[in-house]
Structure formats: structure tokens, C-alpha cells
Amino acid sequence: MQVLIDFVLHIDSHLVTIVNSFGDLTYLLLFAIIFIETGAVILPFLPGDSLLFAATALSAKPEYGLHVWIFVGLFCLAALLGDSLNFYLGRHVGMALRKHRFFGKFISDEKMAEAEHFFEKHGNISITLARFMPIIRTFAPFVAAGSNMPYKDFIRYNIIGNVAWVAICCTAGYFFGNIAFVKEHFSLVVIGIIVVSLIPAIVSFAKSKIKKQV
């Protein structure tokens, strides 16, 4: 876990190492991370927003030979396929996966409850909103499938959320990621991104707790 935290907080320097070591395979590696973040269900702690930001910041620098539009296309596809796999698992092996002796350890009942509450409160639009919320976005497709939401409805809201998420994160990274202040304080910027993206979930959870106490 300590290695993962270090990777997330210093993702800019780690990506430079990856690019220098793997070249064009960097596209495939980052595609896999975004795909697995939601597709695997049990790995919600993988980097998402910060990875898009850092990757496109690097693509803005010609010396690395990376293309921002390739990143944009691959990230959209990875998010779409990952969420679709997540939805499939929720529809066909949902309860079995949650009760499994090994895999069940990685599916937090508390986080799943937050996702269920979020889905119940906002309905179908929660699929779009959840894409901007770490952890919640990993469980949202799973919960939607378990609630018998039709896939055609899910994929429509999912595409809207994925495109908006990739557009915002990649635009921010490409145009602001190489500003001197951002580069010098990249770890703080990453923490800020994580905190801001968690605010909606925290507010929603706090409101639900307050209502229960009233």
C-alpha cells in the first residue's frame, strides 16, 4: 500500500520513468490501469483523475513523444470497457462476488453502501456523476446492475460521464500540468484533486447520517 501511495503522490516522476523504460507501451500500461480501476471492482484505490492529469501534462512536452489525442481516446475506451465489465459482474455474479471468501475482502460493505445510497438518491444520473468520484465510480456500475438497470440506459449515462471526465482531466493536465508552480508542488496538486473529487461523496454521506439522527 505504501508503494501505491508513493506512486500516486509522485505520479509525475513515476510516469517519466515508465515512458523512458517502455516507450509506446506506456499507452497500453495506462489504458490497463484505468480499465482495471473500475473493471476489476476490487481495486478502487488505483489512480484515476491524477493519472489522466499527469499523463496529458507529459504529452504537452515534445521531448517525451506522447500524443494527447491518443491518451484521450484510450482513456475514454478504457473507462467505457471497465465500467461495462463492472456492470456485467454486478449483473451476473454480484452477490457471489461480495460473499466470496477472498474477493469479498476487497469489496468494502461501507463503500458499497455509500454507492447504493448515492444511486438511490440520484437515480440514473448517478452513473454520470459517479465518474467524477473516486471509489464511488468503482462500485456504481456494480450497484446499477444489481438494481436491474437496463444496460442501454447504463451505457448512455456512462458515455456522457466518461467523455466529460476524460475531457476535463486531460484538458487540465495538458494546459496546466506544466506550470512552474504545479510542477514544483505536484504532490499537493494530486492531493487537492483527490480531496476535491471526494467532496460530493463526503457531503452526501454526511447528509444521510444527519437525516438518520433527526
Side-chain angles (χ1 to χ4, degrees), residues 87 112-128 130 136 139-150 153-154 157 204:
F87 185 91
M112 185 66 75
E114 288 181 28
E116 290 172 346
H117 172 74
F118 188 76
F119 184 77
E120 291 173 359
K121 179 178 179 180
H122 299 285
N124 291 349
I125 193 62
S126 63
I127 301 302
T128 298
I136 293 292
F139 296 121
F142 198 83
V143 170
S147 69
N148 293 318
M149 181 181 188
D153 293 337
F154 167 80
Y157 287 97
S204 179

Side-chain angles (χ1 to χ4, degrees), residues 24-38:
D24 288 344
L25 284 178
T26 299
Y27 294 115
L28 181 59
L29 292 173
L30 301 193
F31 173 92
I33 292 175
I34 297 303
F35 171 77
I36 294 171
E37 185 205 9
T38 52

Side-chain angles (χ1 to χ4, degrees), residues 32-206:
I33 292 175
I34 297 303
F35 171 77
I36 294 171
E37 185 205 9
T38 52
V41 185
I42 62 174
L43 298 172
F45 43 78
L46 288 177
D49 316 88
S50 57
L51 179 61
L52 269 63
F53 185 90
T56 47
L58 281 186
S59 70
K61 304 175 75 171
E63 62 264 34
Y64 293 110
L66 300 171
H67 301 279
V68 65
W69 288 111
I70 294 179
F71 275 135
V72 169
L74 287 178
F75 288 147
C76 283
L77 182 61
L80 174 64
L81 294 178
D83 287 342
S84 294
L85 173 60
N86 192 314
F87 185 91
Y88 176 85
L89 293 174
R91 177 61 52 86
H92 296 282
V93 294
M95 289 306 300
L97 193 63
R98 294 177 66 173
K99 294 180 179 180
H100 192 276
R101 181 179 300 178
F102 176 75
F103 293 111
K105 297 178 181 179
F106 298 93
I107 302 178
S108 167
D109 290 336
E110 180 181 352
K111 298 302 180 184
M112 185 66 75
E114 288 181 28
E116 290 172 346
H117 172 74
F118 188 76
F119 184 77
E120 291 173 359
K121 179 178 179 180
H122 299 285
N124 291 349
I125 193 62
S126 63
I127 301 302
T128 298
L129 300 176
R131 176 39 67 175
F132 295 89
M133 304 164 67
I135 301 178
I136 293 292
R137 66 168 162 254
T138 299
F139 296 121
F142 198 83
V143 170
S147 69
N148 293 318
M149 181 181 188
Y151 180 73
K152 62 181 180 63
D153 293 337
F154 167 80
I155 200 64
R156 182 168 65 250
Y157 287 97
N158 184 247
I159 289 174
I160 295 172
N162 287 341
V163 171
W165 178 65
V166 171
I168 292 172
C169 292
C170 288
T171 299
Y174 189 82
F175 290 106
F176 302 108
N178 292 302
I179 294 175
F181 177 84
V182 174
K183 292 173 64 176
E184 293 173 6
H185 303 85
F186 205 88
S187 296
L188 292 178
V189 172
V190 169
I191 293 174
I193 292 173
I194 294 172
V195 170
V196 170
S197 58
L198 285 174
I199 288 176
I202 294 173
V203 171
S204 179
F205 181 74

